Each structure stands twice: as structure tokens, then as C-alpha cells.
Amino acid sequence: GYAFIWDDNGLAVVHKGIKAGLNDLQIRWVDATSGGDFEMDDEWYREQNIGIFAKGRVTGTWSYTWHNKGAGWYENWHYVFTPIENTPYMLALSVFEPDVTKQADEMLASLKRKVSTAAWLTAGLVGLGCLLLAGLVYWFNNEMARPLQKLAQYLGAVQDGGYRTELTLTEEEAGSLEMKEIVANMHKMLVALRFCNKKYTEGDTVKEMDTCCDALDLVLKTRNQPGEGICYNNMGNICRALEAKKAVYSRTFTFPNTTVNVQNDQAALWFRRAVESAEALPESAEKQELVVARRFNA
């Protein structure tokens, strides 16, 4: 993903597509063509203007499925935009869906391989189990077959249900160490898939904050520094949305090495932590853009 800024006249101020010698460019054209690198997509141009730029100085979100004709596939892009207080500028953050779900997709692929391997092992054990005592068959059914069946059913239902389906199989019920590891990773995958997922939150701002806090707990445990900044920034934007709705949010989370009471009036705190997270990243041009963008938010 990337961040960009424009002014009240609709002119691009900060954008990765701005090149040396290019001035006074409309942000709509710069973002739709990445500063002329891509051919103009009229549908994208029209829908993005309606969804973001024509709305004026408001905070909101916009998503669009873009047909990348050159690559031959469709790409889901998500935007969050907000006015920068006490300035004539607007700030937007965009993210390509696979950038958010990459870790979850890798987990899912890994889990499917493990489940497939375990299924083949189960088939072999079933054939051998016919020659064993009734007690061994009973052990097998409880330790392997039933947990695998529950996992297979869950994998089939979780996406169709907008990721709202909960995994009822606990680590204690999983039996073997391998199955316990699969169940533990499945819970982590569900947290990642729900993060910023409109199918799951359905516009519920409180639920959006819950998913951000759950995702923050996961990235802190895995020491995913870029992920920390994304979570903090999203939490700041959600706090602003809660304040705008005059909604009250208060929930205590136990993160690694600390316990935090997350409340609806903490936008400044989370934006400050987003800036600190960006400043801690290795030096790069992308880091500088992130620091500038998140300082505007803070």
C-alpha cells in the first residue's frame, strides 16, 4: 500500500506517482495512472472520484475491484481517507488486499497442506485399525478423525460465511501435538482474515476496533513491525469514527508485556504510536513517506 495527500483544489501534494518536473497535477489523474505509468481506466477514475474526492473533507473508506488487464486478473484495493486537521489537506492510505492477507494466505496454504498430509495418514491408520483392538479404534476416533472432520468442515464454511464462523475445536480437544499446532494456527489465520474485512465487520465500528486489537496482539507476538504501524494507524482512524458517531468503546486487552484499556477517545495515542512504529523501520523512501503521512494524522 501507499499514502498520498492532496489540497482543497484537488491537486496532488504527496504521491508516489509524482515525478520530477511534474507540478499542479490533479490527484484523481495521478492516482488513477500512477503519474502516467498506467493507461487511464475510466471506470476506476469515475468510481474513485465518487467514492473519495467528490465527498469533500470527510473521513471515510472506499474499496474497488480493479481489472488489471495487463496482468489478466482482478485486484481488490481498499482506501481510508480523512482531513488533516487545521490544514487544507486531505490524507488517504491505500492497500492492496494481498498485502494485508499475505500472511493469512500463507498460513491457510500451510494448514491445507498439513490437513491433506494428516488426511492421508488417517486413511492409512484406518486400514491398519481394522486389525487392532477396539480400544485402539476408540482412541483413534477421538484423537485424530473427529478433529480432522471438524477442521475440514470449518475450512469449507469459513469463507462463505464472511469469516464470522467460529472454530469450535479447541486445542485441548485436538488431541495430538500436530493437531494442536494446526488449531492454534487456525485461530491466528482467522484473526488475520477478519482484519479490515468488511464481510466480517459489516460497517460495525466497534467490531472493526475489536479486529484491529486482535490483529495488534498477533503482530506484537510475531514481531511484525510494519504490521504494528498499520494496526495503530487503523485504530486511530476507528477512534475518530467512534467519536464522530458519539459511540463509546472501552475494552481491556492483554498484549505481550502489557495490558491496555482501549477507549474511543485515544485517536492521538494510536496515531503517535503509528508514527513511532514508522520511525523505527529501516531507512527507505517508503519509510519517509509513512512517517510524513502518519505525522499528519497524529
Side-chain angles (χ1 to χ4, degrees):
Y2 58 94
F4 56 92
I5 298 172
W6 68 96
D7 63 18
D8 282 347
N9 296 316
L11 300 180
V13 177
V14 174
H15 194 286
K16 67 176 184 178
I18 298 179
K19 301 173 179 62
L22 297 179
N23 298 306
D24 297 331
L25 299 176
Q26 286 290 323
I27 188 63
R28 291 181 294 169
W29 178 84
V30 174
D31 196 55
T33 65
S34 193
D37 289 343
F38 297 100
E39 183 179 349
M40 171 68 75
D41 186 322
D42 292 334
E43 184 176 354
W44 170 288
Y45 184 81
R46 181 178 62 257
E47 293 298 326
Q48 188 185 44
N49 183 49
I50 295 172
I52 301 178
F53 304 119
K55 291 185 175 180
R57 292 182 62 81
V58 297
T59 296
T61 61
W62 179 70
S63 300
Y64 187 79
T65 301
W66 175 53
H67 185 194
N68 189 334
K69 297 178 181 178
W73 59 59
Y74 288 87
E75 300 177 358
N76 292 324
W77 285 87
H78 303 278
Y79 286 74
V80 177
F81 53 92
T82 188
I84 300 174
E85 295 181 2
N86 303 318
T87 74
Y89 302 118
M90 288 286 293
L91 167 69
L93 299 175
S94 73
V95 63
F96 180 35
E97 190 169 281
D99 291 343
V100 176
T101 62
K102 180 180 179 181
Q103 187 176 14
D105 292 339
E106 290 173 352
M107 277 187 192
L108 183 58
S110 175
L111 288 171
K112 286 183 176 179
R113 287 194 297 270
K114 289 183 178 181
V115 170
S116 177
T117 301
W120 281 105
L121 177 61
T122 300
L125 290 175
V126 168
L128 181 62
C130 295
L131 304 176
L132 300 176
L133 297 173
L136 182 60
V137 174
Y138 176 80
W139 174 88
F140 170 78
N141 285 335
N142 284 277
E143 294 294 313
M144 294 294 292
R146 291 178 186 173
L148 277 173
Q149 185 180 22
K150 283 190 175 182
L151 278 176
Q153 292 171 346
Y154 181 75
L155 286 173
V158 62
Q159 186 170 7
D160 293 338
Y163 309 110
R164 292 183 292 276
T165 305
E166 296 291 345
L167 178 60
T168 57
L169 180 65
T170 65
E171 292 184 45
E172 290 73 20
E173 296 171 332
S176 66
L177 292 175
E178 292 79 6
M179 287 300 302
K180 288 181 179 179
E181 181 183 359
I182 290 174
V183 171
N185 285 333
M186 185 74 77
H187 285 291
K188 294 177 182 177
M189 179 200 72
L190 188 59
V191 168
L193 289 173
R194 286 174 171 176
F195 179 65
C196 290
N197 191 322
K198 290 186 177 180
K199 289 183 179 179
Y200 175 71
T201 60
E202 299 180 320
D204 186 334
T205 312
V206 171
K207 190 178 287 187
E208 288 176 2
M209 181 63 85
D210 286 344
T211 63
C212 278
C213 292
D214 290 339
L216 178 60
D217 181 57
L218 178 59
V219 298
L220 287 173
K221 288 177 179 176
T222 56
R223 298 183 180 180
N224 182 339
Q225 195 170 10
E228 289 182 37
I230 292 173
C231 289
Y232 290 140
N233 196 73
N234 282 10
M235 289 167 70
N237 282 321
I238 294 171
C239 281
R240 282 184 174 172
L242 287 166
E243 288 291 284
K245 294 179 179 179
K246 300 187 183 304
V248 177
Y249 184 95
S250 180
R251 181 179 169 190
T252 300
F253 290 85
T254 301
F255 298 124
N257 302 321
T258 185
T259 298
V260 178
N261 182 246
V262 179
Q263 298 182 351
N264 52 281
D265 58 354
Q266 296 175 329
L269 169 65
W270 301 120
F271 283 135
R272 184 168 64 252
R273 291 195 179 180
V275 172
E276 293 170 355
S277 177
E279 290 175 336
L281 292 172
E283 289 295 330
S284 67
E286 184 179 1
K287 168 188 172 177
Q288 297 302 320
E289 291 183 5
L290 280 174
V291 171
V292 170
R294 290 177 180 172
R295 280 177 177 169
F296 273 119
N297 258 354

